[in-house]
Amino acid sequence: MQIVSGRFRHRPLLTNPGLVTRPITQRVKVSLFDKLEPWFVDARIADIYSGTGTMGLEALSRGATSVAFFEQDKVAFDLLKQNIAALRVEEETFAWKVDVTKCSFRPKGDAERFLPFDLIFFDPPYFHAERMTADTMLYKALLRLAKPEISAEGVRLLFRVGSETELTLPPVWRKEEQLVYSSMTVHIYRKSGIEEHAGNPGDPDNVQ
């Protein structure tokens, strides 16, 4: 795997050889990122369930201002840190080893400069997305992401799932488009601005 375009073009990236993080294929990444590239310029990105960072680092290469990575798997997180170090982008990135379903998405201290997010990659394990309902922790995490201190007005959420998965997100996220690539689909949502739907789903205390 390597960076496709931008200032880090052709730089190699380490990827997790297992099936835990399902890194996106190079062919799909080229097609997806070429379409979405204008959204990356000067954007603050969240790469949630980031794996080794291939999505967020590609966005950074193509003009994003910063990327905050959220990943729980130890092997993937260690490789993510190595990729960040190899590209020397420590000042432009923040890596948080955390369970996304229990996460506030709001790290304390200097890392708050990465907020609010302008674009969010959201790539949970497929079986979690398939089972998501209003009473699941994943659904509540999406409510927390919609809070105005976490995501900007008009933020885009890119949710990757298997091609057969039907999604029902909190009403605050309004579906705009979907992009189908063989066995996977990227659903694109915008925040509707209906803040009452963001609610107060427990506000976990899990902070950096």
Side-chain angles (χ1 to χ4, degrees):
M1 181 69 71
Q2 63 181 10
I3 300 286
V4 174
S5 185
R7 61 180 169 133
F8 302 124
R9 184 180 182 186
H10 298 323
R11 294 287 297 274
L13 295 174
L14 300 171
T15 56
N16 193 341
L19 298 176
V20 175
T21 55
R22 305 182 332 277
I24 195 168
T25 66
Q26 194 81 347
R27 178 184 61 81
V28 170
K29 190 166 75 165
V30 169
S31 176
L32 178 63
F33 276 74
D34 285 352
K35 177 179 177 61
L36 306 181
E37 185 159 5
W39 298 353
F40 303 138
V41 178
D42 297 329
R44 288 166 293 199
I45 307 287
D47 191 353
I48 300 174
Y49 294 100
S50 66
T52 63
T54 58
M55 301 288 279
L57 292 171
E58 182 74 37
L60 193 66
S61 180
R62 295 184 185 228
T65 295
S66 63
V67 184
F69 298 95
F70 300 80
E71 175 56 53
Q72 184 178 22
D73 181 74
K74 182 182 186 304
V75 173
F77 187 81
D78 288 345
L79 294 173
L80 166 65
K81 296 287 284 187
Q82 291 179 57
N83 283 334
I84 289 171
L87 296 177
R88 299 181 180 178
V89 292
E90 291 88 347
E91 292 301 311
E92 302 161 75
T93 60
F94 173 74
W96 191 354
K97 187 177 182 296
V98 67
D99 180 348
V100 167
T101 64
K102 301 176 182 178
C103 175
S104 68
F105 300 110
R106 187 172 186 174
K108 288 183 176 179
D110 182 56
E112 283 203 3
R113 64 191 171 89
F114 292 93
L115 299 169
F117 302 126
D118 302 301
L119 181 70
I120 299 168
F121 295 116
F122 200 80
D123 190 12
Y126 283 177
F127 70 92
H128 284 173
E130 291 165 358
R131 299 171 185 174
M132 186 173 63
T133 60
D135 61 348
T136 61
M137 296 175 73
L138 189 64
Y139 188 99
K140 294 173 183 177
L142 289 162
L143 286 172
R144 294 194 297 275
L145 273 176
K147 292 185 174 183
E149 65 270 26
I150 303 299
S151 57
E153 183 178 354
V155 62
R156 287 183 173 94
L157 172 72
L158 278 62
F159 199 129
R160 180 165 74 119
V161 294
S163 58
E164 301 300 319
T165 302
E166 296 292 332
L167 286 175
T168 302
L169 268 63
V172 69
W173 295 107
R174 183 182 69 250
K175 187 173 177 179
E176 286 197 336
E177 187 179 0
Q178 69 181 37
L179 307 173
V180 180
Y181 300 95
S182 185
S183 63
M184 59 165 270
T185 300
V186 177
H187 299 269
I188 301 174
Y189 294 84
R190 292 288 289 270
K191 192 163 69 170
S192 70
I194 308 173
E195 297 301 341
E196 60 266 26
H197 289 303
N200 182 0
D203 284 335
D205 252 344
N206 197 345
V207 293
Q208 177 69 15

